[in-house]
């Protein structure tokens, strides 16, 4: 598909989508007189709601013309109930395009339901859980009267380390557009074959008990995000030479809780991970094999001078400069 779109200055701001880390959700009580619900029990309730929704709703591709010039800017999808004139429609559950993904968070196994409308160019580039993505999207609730709580009809850049887990975990299965051409004069761009997905998220991978203050999202609300993915940039938040996804030491796909020196900054935001006075970038060597703006593990040489199994950049006992 060819799309042409007006693009405003890309921003990393949306009140409803960005959230504090869910690791801290259970420390407070958002409801006076009501204790925080058990995550495992709530997952059972949420999954039943999502399954019911998927069995009773269908999707329809929708062309979007942003400026009424008869040029289709991009395609999204609408969701509607199978009833009345729509009683013959095929449910999302039976569409053949629905995939599921198991995600464990805080020792609870969650199930994401992902509608694969178009996978995009997965052979070109897909995001990791810590990368930056250029997207349009719509966030909505399952059954509320005013169910759309957030949207961007022109592309915005999202740092996937800062979005809700369900959004972040769905993205790596989709690819960016096959090509994208920006017109710096009129602010438009054209793109082909972008990733298009709708992810259905249980509350435990959304906002659980603490939705954003002032938003229309209730507590314990399952969420739906309709997402179009156009471009992926690999993130190295602290510019230390190590892509942020490789700073997930415990491999839980959350970078905020990996902090070797215990200071105020997690490793992916810390230019000196072990606080030994030698910058992380100077304790390793980067050898560019491909000029593709992506750093891969085989392009990084990690040293372990004292042979204790801990690489120099994480070991305060090893602090020799490697790039003099």
């Amino acid at each position: 598909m060819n799309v042409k779109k007006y693009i405003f200055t890309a921003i990393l701001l949306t009140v409803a989508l960005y959230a504090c880390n869910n690791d801290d959700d259970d420390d407070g009580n958002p409801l006076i007189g009501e204790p925080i619900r058990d995550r495992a029990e709530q997952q059972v309730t949420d999954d039943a709601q999502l399954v019911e929704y998927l069995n009773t709703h269908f999707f329809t591709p929708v062309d979007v013309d942003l400026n009424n010039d008869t040029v289709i800017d991009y395609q999204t999808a609408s969701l509607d109930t199978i009833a009345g004139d729509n009683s013959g429609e095929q449910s999302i559950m039976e569409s053949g395009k629905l995939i599921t993904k198991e995600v464990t968070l805080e020792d609870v196994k969650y199930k994401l339901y992902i509608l694969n409308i178009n996978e995009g160019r997965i052979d070109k580039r897909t995001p990791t859980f810590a990368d930056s993505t250029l997207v349009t999207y719509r966030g909505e609730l399952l059954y509320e009267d005013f169910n759309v709580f957030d949207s961007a009809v022109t592309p915005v850049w999202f740092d996937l380390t800062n979005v809700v887990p369900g959004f972040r975990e769905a993205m790596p299965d989709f690819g960016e557009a096959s090509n994208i051409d920006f017109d710096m004069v009129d602010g438009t761009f054209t793109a082909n074959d972008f990733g298009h997905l709708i992810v259905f998220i249980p509350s435990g991978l959304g906002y659980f008990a603490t939705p954003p203050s002032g938003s229309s999202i209730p507590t314990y609300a399952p969420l739906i995000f309709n997402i179009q993915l156009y471009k992926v940039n690999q993130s190295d938040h602290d510019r230390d030479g190590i892509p942020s996804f490789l700073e997930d030491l415990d491999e839980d796909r959350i970078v905020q809780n990996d902090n070797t020196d215990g200071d105020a900054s997690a490793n992916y935001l810390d230019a000196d991970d072990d606080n030994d006075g030698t910058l992380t970038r100077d304790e390793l060597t980067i050898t560019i094999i491909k000029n593709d703006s992506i750093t891969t593990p085989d392009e990084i040489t990690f040293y372990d001078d004292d042979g204790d199994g801990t690489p120099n950049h994480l070991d305060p006992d090893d602090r020799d400069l490697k790039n003099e």
Side-chain angles (χ1 to χ4, degrees):
M1 173 185 297
N2 240 2
V3 299
K4 185 176 183 181
K5 178 182 299 298
Y6 281 84
I7 180 168
F8 298 158
T9 301
I11 57 174
L12 282 171
L13 175 63
T14 177
V15 173
L17 184 58
Y18 281 70
C20 296
N21 219 346
N22 277 352
D23 294 343
D24 300 326
D25 283 351
D26 292 353
D27 293 338
N29 187 347
L31 303 175
I32 298 175
E34 182 177 337
I36 298 293
R37 297 179 187 177
D38 180 83
R39 280 185 169 269
E41 293 177 0
Q42 186 61 40
Q43 165 58 9
V44 173
T45 299
D46 290 349
D47 190 64
Q49 289 187 62
L50 291 172
V51 169
E52 178 186 21
Y53 186 95
L54 294 168
N55 278 313
T56 57
H57 287 72
F58 68 100
F59 78 96
T60 304
V62 176
D63 293 333
V64 178
D65 178 4
L66 288 176
N67 59 342
N68 298 316
D69 62 356
T70 72
V71 176
I72 301 305
D73 295 283
Y74 65 98
Q75 191 176 77
T76 181
S78 66
L79 302 172
D80 203 351
T81 306
I82 301 174
D85 294 340
N86 300 324
S87 59
E89 296 289 346
Q90 185 179 56
S91 72
I92 297 170
M93 186 69 80
E94 297 173 342
S95 67
K97 293 181 174 293
L98 192 69
I99 59 178
T100 59
K101 185 174 185 178
E102 187 176 277
V103 177
T104 300
L105 181 66
E106 298 192 24
D107 298 322
V108 176
K109 291 183 178 180
Y110 293 96
K111 186 180 290 186
L112 281 179
Y113 296 90
I114 305 169
L115 183 62
N116 181 354
I117 298 175
N118 183 32
E119 65 182 5
R121 287 293 304 275
I122 59 174
D123 61 327
K124 186 170 181 277
R125 184 173 299 183
T126 60
T128 73
F129 56 89
D131 285 335
S132 183
T133 56
L134 183 67
V135 301
T136 49
Y137 71 95
R138 184 178 70 248
E140 56 189 285
L141 305 171
L142 266 64
Y143 296 113
E144 300 296 325
D145 291 337
F146 301 99
N147 61 342
V148 176
F149 59 82
D150 194 19
S151 65
V153 297
T154 54
V156 293
W157 283 100
F158 274 158
D159 178 352
L160 293 183
T161 66
N162 288 327
V163 300
V164 294
F167 190 112
R168 177 172 65 243
E169 292 292 342
M171 296 298 283
D173 296 317
F174 292 83
E176 65 179 10
S178 59
N179 64 71
I180 184 167
D181 297 311
F182 290 91
D183 188 327
M184 303 306 293
V185 176
D186 64 7
T188 63
F189 74 82
T190 58
N192 296 302
D193 196 23
F194 51 83
H196 186 188
L197 64 144
I198 303 179
V199 57
F200 302 84
I201 303 174
S203 67
L205 296 179
Y207 297 107
F208 197 56
T210 54
S213 177
S215 78
S216 61
I217 304 173
T219 54
Y220 311 111
L223 306 174
I224 303 171
F225 282 104
N226 188 329
I227 307 165
Q228 297 79 40
L229 171 62
Y230 303 107
K231 192 170 179 59
V232 178
N233 281 342
Q234 185 181 72
S235 291
D236 177 5
H237 289 79
D238 53 11
R239 300 183 180 182
D240 63 359
I242 305 175
S244 294
F245 81 97
L246 291 179
E247 305 217 53
D248 173 29
L249 303 181
D250 55 8
E251 299 183 344
D252 64 354
R253 301 173 67 81
I254 300 172
V255 290
Q256 288 89 343
N257 59 9
D258 298 280
N259 190 349
T260 298
D261 57 17
D263 63 4
S265 299
N267 287 2
Y268 82 110
L269 296 174
D270 193 342
D272 182 4
D273 291 337
D274 56 5
N275 198 31
D276 63 357
T278 303
L279 296 179
T280 294
R281 175 175 287 277
D282 294 328
E283 295 187 277
L284 48 86
T285 300
I286 306 293
T287 303
I288 302 300
I289 299 174
K290 293 182 179 180
N291 186 22
D292 58 2
S293 74
I294 297 177
T295 301
T296 58
D298 59 340
E299 294 177 320
I300 307 174
T301 300
F302 294 101
Y303 301 94
D304 180 15
D305 288 347
D306 62 8
D308 64 356
T310 301
N312 287 11
H313 74 286
L314 300 177
D315 188 345
D317 295 329
D318 295 325
R319 61 189 67 186
D320 289 346
L321 295 174
K322 298 301 180 180
N323 299 305
E324 293 184 290

